[in-house]
Structure formats: structure tokens, C-alpha cells
Amino acid sequence: MRKALKTIKQWYQRRVRGKKAGLFLMGKPEAGEDVASSEDSKKNLSNLFKMTPAQKEARRSRLQQELSEAEGCLDPAKQDLEQFCTEADEELKLWKEEKLASLKTTFRIYAKLQLQHCQQGLQCWQAVSTAAASK
């Protein structure tokens, strides 16, 4: 936990203070260059994120293409999900039916066992009572 907090703190310090921010900038400065120290770098930072209309259009068309590809992949995924859900429901119903049948069989066997045990106990008592009555 401490390591994660330390890492987050370091990231925040680098991001906000701008010290050696080569990872956070699109125009990668030279290694070891302190971005926040030079005035030219500050001016470049403000212009760095501005896009030309051609760049905006290219990005927009790329994003639209990615969106259409993602939507194309979405329909088969939905069908796979629906098929999986129906198969899972069927398997669950079969499992419940098998479980119920298994429980019924188990209780029947248990009831028969109890009846046999009671009959054996009754026979034992009858044998004891006849032996005691004959003495």
C-alpha cells in the first residue's frame, strides 16, 4: 500500500511540477532536460496540445473508423453472449432436475433403511419379551 501511495505521489509530483516530464509530453524533450525551467518550453507546452484542422479531421475519421469496427464486433459478441446465457440456463435447469431426483432417491433409500432398522429393533424386542415370558 505504501509503495502504491509513493508511486502515486511521485507521479503527481512529476505531472504537476513538470520535472523531467518527457513521459507526459508528446514532444519528447532531451533526456534530463528540465521542462519547467526554460521559458521556451513553457511556450511550447501551450502550443503542444493544439491541433491543426487537418489533424483534427484525421483523428475524427480514425475514431469513426475504430467506432464502426467496434460496433461490427459488438453484434457477434452479443449473439455469443445470448447463446451462452441460454445454454447456461438449460444446464442450470438440468442440474436442478438432477439434484432434485438425486435428493428424492437418497431420501427414499434413507426411509427404507430406517424401516429395516425399526423392523430389526421390533424383532429384537419381541425375541427378548418372549424369552423373558418363558422364564
Side-chain angles (χ1 to χ4, degrees):
M1 183 71 174
R2 286 185 177 186
K3 187 175 182 179
L5 290 175
K6 187 176 181 181
T7 306
I8 293 170
K9 184 177 179 182
Q10 289 172 349
W11 176 83
Y12 179 77
Q13 288 173 347
R14 285 186 197 139
R15 182 74 173 125
V16 173
R17 294 182 186 162
K19 293 181 179 177
K20 297 182 182 180
L23 296 175
F24 300 102
L25 300 175
M26 287 182 185
K28 298 174 184 171
E30 296 297 321
E33 179 183 341
D34 193 0
V35 177
S37 64
S38 68
E39 290 297 321
D40 293 335
S41 295
K42 289 181 184 177
K43 291 177 185 175
N44 288 339
L45 285 176
S46 63
N47 293 329
L48 182 64
F49 298 106
K50 292 182 180 176
M51 299 176 78
T52 64
Q55 290 174 330
K56 287 180 183 179
E57 182 62 30
R59 183 174 180 189
R60 186 173 71 66
S61 64
R62 188 182 78 242
L63 289 174
Q64 284 179 342
Q65 181 182 6
E66 290 176 5
L67 181 63
S68 64
E69 290 173 1
E71 287 174 348
C73 294
L74 187 63
D75 290 333
K78 280 183 179 180
Q79 291 173 354
D80 290 344
L81 178 64
E82 289 174 7
Q83 180 182 1
F84 173 78
C85 288
T86 54
E87 289 175 1
D89 285 342
E90 290 172 6
E91 287 181 17
L92 186 61
K93 287 177 185 176
L94 288 174
W95 179 78
K96 285 181 178 181
E97 290 171 0
E98 289 175 2
K99 181 181 79 167
L100 184 60
S102 176
L103 280 172
K104 285 181 180 180
T105 305
T106 303
F107 284 133
R108 280 189 200 118
I109 293 171
Y110 182 72
K112 287 180 183 179
L113 180 68
Q114 289 296 318
L115 287 172
Q116 290 173 357
H117 184 69
C118 289
Q119 288 174 353
Q120 288 175 355
L122 182 62
Q123 289 172 357
C124 182
W125 276 109
Q126 287 174 350
V128 170
S129 67
T130 55
S134 65
K135 286 187 182 184

